Short mmCIF file of all heavy atoms in Angstrom, two decimals:
data_model
loop_
_atom_site.label_atom_id
_atom_site.label_comp_id
_atom_site.label_asym_id
_atom_site.label_seq_id
_atom_site.Cartn_x
_atom_site.Cartn_y
_atom_site.Cartn_z
N LEU A 5 75.82 257.34 -6.43
CA LEU A 5 76.39 257.37 -7.78
C LEU A 5 77.65 258.24 -7.81
O LEU A 5 78.65 257.88 -8.46
CB LEU A 5 75.33 257.91 -8.75
CG LEU A 5 75.47 257.47 -10.20
CD1 LEU A 5 75.53 255.95 -10.33
CD2 LEU A 5 74.27 257.99 -11.00
N TRP A 8 80.36 256.23 -6.45
CA TRP A 8 80.74 255.21 -7.46
C TRP A 8 81.75 255.82 -8.44
O TRP A 8 82.81 255.25 -8.70
CB TRP A 8 79.48 254.72 -8.19
CG TRP A 8 79.77 253.79 -9.32
CD1 TRP A 8 80.11 254.15 -10.60
CD2 TRP A 8 79.78 252.37 -9.29
NE1 TRP A 8 80.31 253.02 -11.36
CE2 TRP A 8 80.11 251.92 -10.58
CE3 TRP A 8 79.53 251.42 -8.29
CZ2 TRP A 8 80.21 250.57 -10.92
CZ3 TRP A 8 79.62 250.07 -8.62
CH2 TRP A 8 79.96 249.65 -9.92
N HIS A 9 81.41 257.00 -8.96
CA HIS A 9 82.29 257.61 -9.97
C HIS A 9 83.61 258.05 -9.35
O HIS A 9 84.65 257.94 -10.00
CB HIS A 9 81.57 258.79 -10.64
CG HIS A 9 80.46 258.33 -11.55
ND1 HIS A 9 80.65 257.39 -12.53
CD2 HIS A 9 79.14 258.68 -11.62
CE1 HIS A 9 79.50 257.18 -13.17
NE2 HIS A 9 78.57 257.94 -12.63
N THR A 11 85.21 256.59 -7.02
CA THR A 11 86.09 255.43 -6.82
C THR A 11 86.40 254.70 -8.12
O THR A 11 87.51 254.28 -8.36
CB THR A 11 85.44 254.45 -5.82
OG1 THR A 11 85.02 255.17 -4.69
CG2 THR A 11 86.41 253.36 -5.41
N PHE A 12 85.37 254.53 -8.94
CA PHE A 12 85.52 253.62 -10.08
C PHE A 12 85.64 254.32 -11.44
O PHE A 12 85.72 253.67 -12.48
CB PHE A 12 84.34 252.63 -10.14
CG PHE A 12 84.22 251.75 -8.91
CD1 PHE A 12 83.00 251.60 -8.25
CD2 PHE A 12 85.33 251.05 -8.42
CE1 PHE A 12 82.88 250.78 -7.13
CE2 PHE A 12 85.21 250.23 -7.31
CZ PHE A 12 83.99 250.10 -6.66
N GLY A 13 85.59 255.63 -11.45
CA GLY A 13 85.73 256.35 -12.72
C GLY A 13 84.40 256.60 -13.41
O GLY A 13 83.34 256.42 -12.82
N SER A 14 84.47 256.96 -14.68
CA SER A 14 83.27 257.50 -15.35
C SER A 14 82.26 256.45 -15.81
O SER A 14 81.11 256.77 -16.11
CB SER A 14 83.69 258.36 -16.54
OG SER A 14 84.42 257.53 -17.42
N GLU A 15 82.68 255.18 -15.90
CA GLU A 15 81.71 254.17 -16.35
C GLU A 15 80.56 254.00 -15.37
O GLU A 15 80.79 253.89 -14.17
CB GLU A 15 82.40 252.81 -16.48
CG GLU A 15 82.83 252.51 -17.91
CD GLU A 15 83.57 251.20 -18.00
OE1 GLU A 15 83.05 250.19 -17.48
OE2 GLU A 15 84.67 251.21 -18.56
N VAL A 16 79.35 253.96 -15.90
CA VAL A 16 78.20 253.80 -14.99
C VAL A 16 78.08 252.32 -14.57
O VAL A 16 78.54 251.44 -15.27
CB VAL A 16 76.86 254.24 -15.65
CG1 VAL A 16 76.84 255.73 -15.89
CG2 VAL A 16 76.60 253.47 -16.93
N PRO A 17 77.47 252.07 -13.39
CA PRO A 17 77.29 250.67 -12.98
C PRO A 17 76.44 249.89 -13.99
O PRO A 17 75.51 250.46 -14.57
CB PRO A 17 76.58 250.77 -11.63
CG PRO A 17 76.22 252.18 -11.42
CD PRO A 17 76.94 253.02 -12.41
N GLU A 18 76.76 248.61 -14.17
CA GLU A 18 75.96 247.81 -15.11
C GLU A 18 74.54 247.61 -14.60
O GLU A 18 73.59 247.59 -15.38
CB GLU A 18 76.60 246.43 -15.31
CG GLU A 18 77.79 246.44 -16.25
CD GLU A 18 78.44 245.07 -16.33
OE1 GLU A 18 77.75 244.10 -16.71
OE2 GLU A 18 79.62 244.97 -15.97
N VAL A 19 74.39 247.43 -13.29
CA VAL A 19 73.03 247.33 -12.73
C VAL A 19 72.95 248.11 -11.43
O VAL A 19 73.93 248.20 -10.68
CB VAL A 19 72.60 245.87 -12.39
CG1 VAL A 19 72.32 245.08 -13.62
CG2 VAL A 19 73.58 245.18 -11.49
N THR A 20 71.76 248.65 -11.17
CA THR A 20 71.47 249.27 -9.88
C THR A 20 70.17 248.65 -9.38
O THR A 20 69.13 248.74 -10.04
CB THR A 20 71.32 250.79 -10.00
OG1 THR A 20 72.54 251.31 -10.52
CG2 THR A 20 71.05 251.43 -8.66
N VAL A 21 70.26 248.00 -8.21
CA VAL A 21 69.12 247.25 -7.69
C VAL A 21 68.63 247.92 -6.41
O VAL A 21 69.43 248.39 -5.59
CB VAL A 21 69.56 245.79 -7.39
CG1 VAL A 21 68.50 245.04 -6.62
CG2 VAL A 21 69.90 245.07 -8.69
N TYR A 51 70.36 250.11 -1.75
CA TYR A 51 70.66 250.10 -3.19
C TYR A 51 71.98 249.38 -3.41
O TYR A 51 72.91 249.52 -2.60
CB TYR A 51 70.75 251.53 -3.73
CG TYR A 51 69.40 252.20 -3.71
CD1 TYR A 51 68.98 252.93 -2.60
CD2 TYR A 51 68.53 252.07 -4.78
CE1 TYR A 51 67.72 253.51 -2.55
CE2 TYR A 51 67.27 252.64 -4.75
CZ TYR A 51 66.87 253.37 -3.65
OH TYR A 51 65.62 253.93 -3.60
N ILE A 52 72.02 248.60 -4.45
CA ILE A 52 73.25 247.88 -4.79
C ILE A 52 73.65 248.27 -6.21
O ILE A 52 72.90 248.02 -7.16
CB ILE A 52 73.05 246.36 -4.70
CG1 ILE A 52 72.75 246.00 -3.24
CG2 ILE A 52 74.26 245.59 -5.18
CD1 ILE A 52 71.52 245.22 -3.05
N LEU A 53 74.78 248.94 -6.33
CA LEU A 53 75.31 249.31 -7.64
C LEU A 53 76.41 248.30 -7.97
O LEU A 53 77.28 248.05 -7.12
CB LEU A 53 75.91 250.73 -7.60
CG LEU A 53 74.93 251.92 -7.54
CD1 LEU A 53 74.02 251.88 -6.33
CD2 LEU A 53 75.70 253.23 -7.56
N ALA A 54 76.35 247.70 -9.15
CA ALA A 54 77.30 246.61 -9.41
C ALA A 54 77.74 246.55 -10.87
O ALA A 54 76.96 246.84 -11.78
CB ALA A 54 76.65 245.29 -9.03
N SER A 55 79.00 246.17 -11.05
CA SER A 55 79.55 245.90 -12.39
C SER A 55 80.54 244.76 -12.29
O SER A 55 81.16 244.58 -11.24
CB SER A 55 80.32 247.12 -12.92
OG SER A 55 79.46 248.11 -13.38
N LYS A 56 80.70 244.03 -13.38
CA LYS A 56 81.80 243.07 -13.42
C LYS A 56 83.09 243.86 -13.61
O LYS A 56 83.09 244.94 -14.20
CB LYS A 56 81.60 242.12 -14.59
CG LYS A 56 80.50 241.13 -14.36
CD LYS A 56 80.62 240.02 -15.37
CE LYS A 56 79.32 239.29 -15.51
NZ LYS A 56 79.20 238.55 -16.74
N LYS A 57 84.18 243.27 -13.12
CA LYS A 57 85.44 244.01 -13.11
C LYS A 57 86.44 243.25 -13.98
O LYS A 57 86.58 242.03 -13.85
CB LYS A 57 85.90 244.05 -11.64
CG LYS A 57 87.05 244.89 -11.30
CD LYS A 57 87.08 245.07 -9.78
CE LYS A 57 88.38 245.65 -9.30
NZ LYS A 57 89.44 244.66 -9.29
N ALA A 58 87.11 243.98 -14.85
CA ALA A 58 88.01 243.30 -15.79
C ALA A 58 89.30 242.84 -15.11
O ALA A 58 89.88 241.82 -15.46
CB ALA A 58 88.33 244.24 -16.94
N THR A 59 89.73 243.60 -14.12
CA THR A 59 91.00 243.25 -13.47
C THR A 59 90.77 242.36 -12.25
O THR A 59 89.64 242.24 -11.77
CB THR A 59 91.72 244.54 -13.03
OG1 THR A 59 90.77 245.32 -12.31
CG2 THR A 59 92.23 245.29 -14.22
N LYS A 60 91.87 241.80 -11.72
CA LYS A 60 91.77 240.84 -10.62
C LYS A 60 91.25 241.46 -9.31
O LYS A 60 91.49 242.62 -9.04
CB LYS A 60 93.16 240.26 -10.34
CG LYS A 60 93.29 238.86 -10.90
CD LYS A 60 94.64 238.22 -10.72
CE LYS A 60 95.36 238.44 -9.41
NZ LYS A 60 96.73 237.99 -9.44
N GLY A 61 90.59 240.67 -8.48
CA GLY A 61 90.23 241.09 -7.13
C GLY A 61 88.93 241.87 -7.04
O GLY A 61 88.66 242.76 -7.86
N HIS A 62 88.09 241.51 -6.06
CA HIS A 62 86.86 242.26 -5.83
C HIS A 62 87.17 243.65 -5.27
O HIS A 62 88.22 243.85 -4.64
CB HIS A 62 85.99 241.53 -4.79
CG HIS A 62 85.37 240.27 -5.30
ND1 HIS A 62 84.33 240.27 -6.19
CD2 HIS A 62 85.64 238.97 -5.03
CE1 HIS A 62 83.97 239.02 -6.43
NE2 HIS A 62 84.76 238.20 -5.75
N HIS A 63 86.22 244.56 -5.42
CA HIS A 63 86.32 245.88 -4.77
C HIS A 63 84.91 246.28 -4.33
O HIS A 63 84.07 246.59 -5.17
CB HIS A 63 86.92 246.90 -5.73
CG HIS A 63 87.28 248.19 -5.06
ND1 HIS A 63 88.05 249.16 -5.66
CD2 HIS A 63 87.00 248.69 -3.82
CE1 HIS A 63 88.20 250.18 -4.84
NE2 HIS A 63 87.57 249.92 -3.72
N TRP A 64 84.65 246.20 -3.02
CA TRP A 64 83.30 246.45 -2.50
C TRP A 64 83.32 247.62 -1.52
O TRP A 64 84.23 247.75 -0.69
CB TRP A 64 82.77 245.22 -1.75
CG TRP A 64 82.73 243.97 -2.57
CD1 TRP A 64 82.81 243.85 -3.93
CD2 TRP A 64 82.61 242.63 -2.05
NE1 TRP A 64 82.73 242.53 -4.29
CE2 TRP A 64 82.61 241.76 -3.17
CE3 TRP A 64 82.49 242.09 -0.76
CZ2 TRP A 64 82.51 240.38 -3.03
CZ3 TRP A 64 82.39 240.72 -0.62
CH2 TRP A 64 82.39 239.87 -1.74
N ILE A 65 82.25 248.42 -1.57
CA ILE A 65 82.15 249.59 -0.67
C ILE A 65 80.80 249.57 0.05
O ILE A 65 79.76 249.39 -0.58
CB ILE A 65 82.24 250.90 -1.49
CG1 ILE A 65 83.56 250.97 -2.26
CG2 ILE A 65 82.10 252.11 -0.57
CD1 ILE A 65 83.61 252.11 -3.27
N ILE A 91 77.54 239.29 1.40
CA ILE A 91 77.74 239.39 -0.05
C ILE A 91 78.54 238.18 -0.54
O ILE A 91 78.18 237.53 -1.53
CB ILE A 91 78.47 240.70 -0.42
CG1 ILE A 91 77.63 241.90 0.01
CG2 ILE A 91 78.78 240.73 -1.91
CD1 ILE A 91 78.30 243.25 -0.22
N ILE A 95 77.38 235.27 -3.27
CA ILE A 95 78.15 234.91 -4.47
C ILE A 95 78.51 233.42 -4.43
O ILE A 95 78.32 232.69 -5.41
CB ILE A 95 79.45 235.75 -4.57
CG1 ILE A 95 79.08 237.22 -4.76
CG2 ILE A 95 80.33 235.26 -5.71
CD1 ILE A 95 80.27 238.17 -4.77
N ILE A 102 81.22 233.99 -11.11
CA ILE A 102 80.99 235.31 -11.70
C ILE A 102 82.26 236.17 -11.87
O ILE A 102 82.31 237.04 -12.72
CB ILE A 102 79.91 236.09 -10.91
CG1 ILE A 102 79.47 237.35 -11.67
CG2 ILE A 102 80.42 236.52 -9.55
CD1 ILE A 102 78.02 237.43 -11.86
N GLY A 103 83.29 235.91 -11.07
CA GLY A 103 84.52 236.70 -11.21
C GLY A 103 84.45 237.99 -10.41
O GLY A 103 83.44 238.27 -9.76
N PRO A 104 85.53 238.78 -10.46
CA PRO A 104 85.62 239.97 -9.62
C PRO A 104 84.52 240.99 -9.90
O PRO A 104 84.12 241.17 -11.04
CB PRO A 104 86.99 240.56 -10.00
CG PRO A 104 87.71 239.51 -10.73
CD PRO A 104 86.70 238.57 -11.31
N LEU A 105 84.07 241.64 -8.84
CA LEU A 105 82.97 242.60 -8.96
C LEU A 105 83.31 243.93 -8.31
O LEU A 105 84.01 243.99 -7.29
CB LEU A 105 81.72 242.07 -8.25
CG LEU A 105 81.04 240.82 -8.79
CD1 LEU A 105 79.87 240.45 -7.89
CD2 LEU A 105 80.54 241.06 -10.21
N ARG A 106 82.78 244.97 -8.92
CA ARG A 106 82.71 246.26 -8.23
C ARG A 106 81.32 246.36 -7.64
O ARG A 106 80.33 246.20 -8.37
CB ARG A 106 82.87 247.39 -9.24
CG ARG A 106 84.25 247.54 -9.73
CD ARG A 106 84.28 248.61 -10.80
NE ARG A 106 85.66 248.89 -11.12
CZ ARG A 106 86.04 249.46 -12.25
NH1 ARG A 106 85.15 249.81 -13.16
NH2 ARG A 106 87.32 249.70 -12.46
N LEU A 107 81.25 246.65 -6.35
CA LEU A 107 79.95 246.76 -5.69
C LEU A 107 79.94 247.97 -4.78
O LEU A 107 80.91 248.20 -4.06
CB LEU A 107 79.69 245.54 -4.82
CG LEU A 107 79.26 244.21 -5.44
CD1 LEU A 107 79.21 243.15 -4.35
CD2 LEU A 107 77.89 244.35 -6.07
N LEU A 108 78.83 248.68 -4.80
CA LEU A 108 78.66 249.76 -3.83
C LEU A 108 77.28 249.58 -3.22
O LEU A 108 76.29 249.47 -3.96
CB LEU A 108 78.74 251.10 -4.56
CG LEU A 108 78.42 252.34 -3.74
CD1 LEU A 108 79.52 252.63 -2.72
CD2 LEU A 108 78.25 253.55 -4.64
N VAL A 109 77.20 249.49 -1.89
CA VAL A 109 75.89 249.34 -1.26
C VAL A 109 75.66 250.50 -0.29
O VAL A 109 76.59 250.97 0.38
CB VAL A 109 75.73 247.99 -0.50
CG1 VAL A 109 75.85 246.83 -1.46
CG2 VAL A 109 76.73 247.84 0.62
N GLY A 128 69.07 241.59 -2.57
CA GLY A 128 69.46 242.57 -3.58
C GLY A 128 70.71 242.12 -4.33
O GLY A 128 70.78 242.25 -5.56
N VAL A 129 71.68 241.58 -3.61
CA VAL A 129 72.91 241.11 -4.27
C VAL A 129 72.59 239.94 -5.19
O VAL A 129 73.07 239.86 -6.32
CB VAL A 129 73.99 240.75 -3.23
CG1 VAL A 129 75.14 239.99 -3.87
CG2 VAL A 129 74.50 242.01 -2.54
N TYR A 131 69.84 239.34 -6.74
CA TYR A 131 69.16 239.87 -7.93
C TYR A 131 70.17 240.55 -8.86
O TYR A 131 70.13 240.37 -10.08
CB TYR A 131 68.07 240.85 -7.50
CG TYR A 131 67.12 241.21 -8.61
CD1 TYR A 131 66.13 240.33 -9.02
CD2 TYR A 131 67.22 242.45 -9.25
CE1 TYR A 131 65.25 240.68 -10.05
CE2 TYR A 131 66.35 242.81 -10.27
CZ TYR A 131 65.37 241.91 -10.67
OH TYR A 131 64.51 242.26 -11.68
N ALA A 132 71.11 241.29 -8.27
CA ALA A 132 72.14 241.95 -9.09
C ALA A 132 72.99 240.90 -9.81
O ALA A 132 73.30 241.03 -11.00
CB ALA A 132 73.02 242.84 -8.21
N LEU A 133 73.35 239.83 -9.08
CA LEU A 133 74.16 238.76 -9.69
C LEU A 133 73.39 238.12 -10.85
O LEU A 133 73.96 237.78 -11.89
CB LEU A 133 74.50 237.68 -8.65
CG LEU A 133 75.44 238.10 -7.51
CD1 LEU A 133 75.51 237.01 -6.46
CD2 LEU A 133 76.83 238.42 -8.05
N GLN A 134 72.09 237.95 -10.65
CA GLN A 134 71.27 237.35 -11.71
C GLN A 134 71.28 238.24 -12.95
O GLN A 134 71.44 237.75 -14.08
CB GLN A 134 69.84 237.15 -11.22
CG GLN A 134 68.99 236.41 -12.22
CD GLN A 134 67.54 236.29 -11.80
OE1 GLN A 134 66.95 237.26 -11.34
NE2 GLN A 134 66.98 235.12 -11.94
N GLN A 135 71.14 239.55 -12.75
CA GLN A 135 71.15 240.47 -13.89
C GLN A 135 72.50 240.45 -14.60
O GLN A 135 72.58 240.41 -15.82
CB GLN A 135 70.86 241.92 -13.44
CG GLN A 135 69.57 242.11 -12.68
CD GLN A 135 68.35 241.74 -13.50
OE1 GLN A 135 68.17 242.24 -14.60
NE2 GLN A 135 67.53 240.84 -12.99
N LEU A 136 73.56 240.44 -13.78
CA LEU A 136 74.91 240.49 -14.37
C LEU A 136 75.24 239.22 -15.15
O LEU A 136 76.01 239.25 -16.09
CB LEU A 136 75.96 240.68 -13.27
CG LEU A 136 76.02 242.05 -12.61
CD1 LEU A 136 76.99 242.05 -11.44
CD2 LEU A 136 76.44 243.12 -13.63
N SER A 137 74.65 238.09 -14.71
CA SER A 137 75.03 236.84 -15.37
C SER A 137 73.94 236.34 -16.34
O SER A 137 74.08 235.26 -16.90
CB SER A 137 75.37 235.77 -14.32
OG SER A 137 74.32 235.67 -13.40
#
Side-chain angles (χ1 to χ4, degrees):
L5 206 54
W8 174 276
H9 289 308
T11 311
F12 299 131
S14 60
E15 263 177 50
V16 292
E18 282 176 59
V19 287
T20 300
V21 170
Y51 292 91
I52 296 127
L53 286 59
S55 282
K56 287 195 200 160
K57 188 165 167 283
T59 50
K60 256 178 40 191
H62 288 287
H63 191 168
W64 302 344
I65 301 170
I91 298 176
I95 295 176
I102 191 127
L105 294 177
R106 287 176 171 159
L107 282 174
L108 173 71
V109 298
V129 168
Y131 192 76
L133 293 171
Q134 186 184 45
Q135 304 299 306
L136 289 174
S137 53

